[in-house]
Amino acid sequence: MMLRTHRSRTIRTGLHAVLLCLALPLVTPTSAMAQGATVAQPTKAMKDEAATRFKKGLELFKEADYVAALVEFRRAYELVPSWQVLYNIGQVQYQLQDYANSLQSLERYLAEGGRQVPATRRSEVENDLQTLKGRIAFVEITVNVPDAEIVVDDTLVGTSPLGKALTVNAGRRRVGVSREGYQPQTRVVEVASGDTAKASFELLERGAATPATPAPGADSEGDGDASSGRARATAQVDGNSSSRVPWIGWGITGGLAAGAAVFGVLALGASSDLQDLRGTRGVSAADLSAASSKATTMSVVTDALAGAALIAGGVSLYFTLRTPPSDSAGNARASSPGLQLGISPRGAQLVGSF
């Protein structure tokens, strides 16, 4: 807790100094400018915006909103690339426990500031660098194809091939590799402070078959065995599909039979009512005609449903007897004679032995 209070006080002092520098007509040269490289000078509007963003970064830092403060400081550095800004960026990254990027920012601060960095500030930063070096690790990433984008913890760090190992925060790091036309890959790499972990990626072109990993205890005999395995799977699916046909037929048969039974009961009731009306005096001819029509309708529907149930039952029986047995049941039934259904003009015959 005391460390955070000390750093909050230190960073406010540094930011105040940087803000004064940004108000000057010309900013302090960075290392690129010191080497004679041509760098466009920021306009007055850019300086004003950078100063505004620094003030906002200060406010956010005081409120412990370090993520938003870092965004404002980085934006100010883009507008006016002064080396003093790197100190503030590095300190905020330190607070965010982004030790790898904090190390990079503070090293750049000392290198680009050179002799302009006050002795007390240089001593402080050098102590911070020693602490940071004990909290970082390295990851060597290799990819089988060039120009693949490499992402660490959702941040783009470069493209393959990388010239050297990446400096990362110690711990568990999420590494992803992708390239257009290839299947992306992601894995988690765990690396302790000071250690170097290696991560190798073999990207496959889109549409290429992914090598199957056999289950523990499964036989692995090459492509031929894999092909036969796919064939067995297909055959099993087809067999299952065929075996469903008799069950559907028997379901329809049961429904028709149940309907025939219901309408049969209704037909008997209508016939009984008709007989009662015929034995009753004073019944009009219209009532007798209606009762007779109802009884006849019920009888016709019952006969139709019964006939349909009989036909559906015959078809279901035919497919049941014609459906080949499954592999598991086939061996058990191999010694049992089959049944045959014969259809002739005189009727149907079931031939076989049990």
Side-chain angles (χ1 to χ4, degrees), residues 299-318:
S299 298
V300 171
V301 172
T302 301
D303 293 341
L305 290 174
L310 182 62
I311 295 174
V315 173
S316 300
L317 179 62
Y318 173 78

Side-chain angles (χ1 to χ4, degrees), residues 240-262:
N240 292 339
S241 300
S242 300
S243 63
R244 294 192 187 98
V245 175
W247 293 112
I248 296 175
W250 287 118
I252 295 175
T253 301
L256 292 173
V262 171

Side-chain angles (χ1 to χ4, degrees), residues 133 136-140 165-166 168 170 190-198:
K133 289 178 181 179
I136 62 170
F138 306 93
V139 178
E140 292 183 358
L166 292 175
V168 299
E190 185 173 301
V191 56
S193 60
D195 289 351
T196 300
K198 296 183 179 181

Side-chain angles (χ1 to χ4, degrees), residues 105 118 164 226:
S105 298
K164 60 180 181 179

Side-chain angles (χ1 to χ4, degrees), residues 289-338:
S289 177
S292 177
S293 177
K294 179 180 179 180
T296 301
T297 300
M298 292 296 179
S299 298
V300 171
V301 172
T302 301
D303 293 341
L305 290 174
L310 182 62
I311 295 174
V315 173
S316 300
L317 179 62
Y318 173 78
F319 280 106
T320 301
L321 298 176
R322 289 293 300 272
T323 301
S326 61
D327 292 341
S328 59
N331 294 333
R333 299 177 184 176
S335 59
S336 300

Side-chain angles (χ1 to χ4, degrees), residues 99-114:
Y99 304 124
N101 284 318
S102 178
L103 177 68
Q104 181 182 9
S105 298
L106 293 179
E107 285 180 338
R108 288 182 57 195
Y109 168 74
L110 292 181
E112 296 181 9

Side-chain angles (χ1 to χ4, degrees), residues 11 14-15 18 22 28-32 54 70 73-74 76-78 80-94 101-114 117 121 125 128-129 132:
I11 192 170
L15 287 174
V18 173
L22 293 176
T28 304
T30 61
S31 59
F54 260 97
L70 180 60
F73 292 152
R74 281 177 169 169
Y77 182 78
E78 292 175 0
V80 181
S82 177
W83 60 269
Q84 292 96 331
V85 184
L86 297 172
Y87 173 80
N88 304 293
I89 292 175
Q91 292 297 330
V92 177
Q93 290 169 333
Y94 199 120
N101 284 318
S102 178
L103 177 68
Q104 181 182 9
S105 298
L106 293 179
E107 285 180 338
R108 288 182 57 195
Y109 168 74
L110 292 181
E112 296 181 9
V117 179
R121 179 61 54 79
V125 173
D128 288 342
L129 292 177
L132 291 170

